Amino acid sequence: NAGVTQTPKFRILKIGQSMTLQCTQDMNHNYMYWYRQDPGMGLKLIYYSVGAGITDKGEVPNGYNVSRSTTEDFPLRLELAAPSQTSVYFCASTDRGNSPLHFGNGTRLTVT
Amino acid sequence: QKEVEQDPGPLSVPEGAIVSLNCTYSNSAFQYFMWYRQYSRKGPELLMYTYSSGNKEDGRFTAQVDKSSKYISLFIRDSQPSDSATYLCAMSTGTGRRALTFGSGTRLQVQP
């Protein structure tokens, strides 16, 4: 059982480039989330989705976009990458809104 | 003021010690409380999950929630070097987007 799979594991971007961080879960979970983790800052919610076709902003959505065309996939798009987006990005999912989240192992992104 | 406060550590203890990790929070609407363990370069994994006030025990781990004081704790008995990790508290109101609000994490090092 793979759980939550994130790709790529690492990426270096130049300022102004764009990329998509992939997230797939095989647990048939409706709720999916994108968090970013900066040193000493905990995890901040970027975007979330409560089901296919439904997405909404979290605390720090600026500079990012998401889509949810299937239950399994929840990609995060970075347009015009900036150094402030250097972070570790985690995707998570759950089957019910009050159940604990299952996390992927993250994508480490550096923007230079 | 952060919604969830957690001492970042690092906390260094000898093997076999009892470890106490704590978080305070300001939002009285939080109902669900979790502790996640995060090893280096990995995603957070759920350790303990409690609803409302009270204690919960699982092996060497005990979670306590005191809603009147807005204070939660995680105790680790007979700590092992394999417990060395960052411990994140997380909480949720259980309504709305139902995303988790995280503390910044406490780094624990158990010395053999």
Side-chain angles (χ1 to χ4, degrees):
Chain A
N1 208 358
V4 178
T5 302
Q6 292 184 239
T7 57
K9 289 187 171 63
F10 306 94
R11 184 73 185 267
I12 298 174
L13 279 183
K14 293 192 188 307
I15 293 170
Q17 288 185 321
S18 61
M19 75 165 293
T20 299
L21 283 68
Q22 302 291 346
C23 175
T24 299
Q25 52 93 6
D26 62 359
M27 298 172 282
N28 202 33
H29 287 172
N30 283 324
Y31 292 78
M32 295 188 75
Y33 305 84
W34 275 105
Y35 285 89
R36 59 176 286 172
Q37 186 176 37
D38 300 308
M41 299 295 290
L43 286 92
K44 301 291 186 189
L45 182 66
I46 305 171
Y47 269 96
Y48 69 101
S49 169
V50 301
I54 306 169
T55 62
D56 208 345
K57 297 176 181 178
E59 301 171 68
V60 290
N62 291 345
Y64 307 95
N65 276 300
V66 293
S67 59
R68 185 96 181 271
S69 56
T70 67
T71 299
E72 296 78 19
D73 300 309
F74 190 39
L76 178 72
R77 178 83 177 162
L78 277 72
E79 305 280 3
L80 297 173
S84 60
Q85 293 177 305
T86 294
S87 189
V88 182
Y89 292 85
F90 288 102
C91 178
S93 72
T94 184
D95 57 350
R96 298 187 303 277
N98 297 323
S99 294
L101 302 187
H102 299 260
F103 283 86
N105 280 324
T107 294
R108 291 182 170 271
L109 175 67
T110 301
V111 182
T112 62
Chain B
Q1 182 190 3
K2 290 182 184 178
E3 211 168 4
V4 179
E5 298 275 1
Q6 184 176 8
D7 188 334
L11 181 62
S12 183
V13 301
E15 185 176 352
I18 296 175
V19 175
S20 172
L21 304 168
N22 311 294
C23 288
T24 59
Y25 62 94
S26 58
N27 187 349
S28 58
F30 286 139
Q31 298 278 357
Y32 298 86
F33 303 91
M34 284 140 269
W35 286 94
Y36 282 83
R37 179 175 60 196
Q38 186 176 22
Y39 290 115
S40 180
R41 297 184 177 266
K42 293 290 187 182
E45 56 178 341
L46 181 71
L47 205 53
M48 298 290 280
Y49 176 67
T50 54
Y51 170 69
S52 196
S53 285
N55 293 357
K56 184 173 182 178
E57 189 173 320
D58 184 0
R60 296 185 295 111
F61 300 91
T62 300
Q64 287 186 351
V65 175
D66 182 349
K67 289 187 69 181
S68 62
S69 302
K70 297 191 182 67
Y71 189 86
I72 70 171
S73 301
L74 177 70
F75 297 95
I76 307 174
R77 290 183 298 280
D78 187 25
S79 56
Q80 302 295 309
S82 59
D83 295 328
S84 298
T86 295
Y87 290 80
L88 298 150
C89 62
M91 41 200 83
S92 166
T93 63
T95 60
R97 64 190 180 199
R98 296 171 177 159
L100 298 181
T101 300
F102 284 85
S104 56
T106 299
R107 191 156 60 91
L108 172 67
Q109 184 72 34
V110 180
Q111 305 290 345

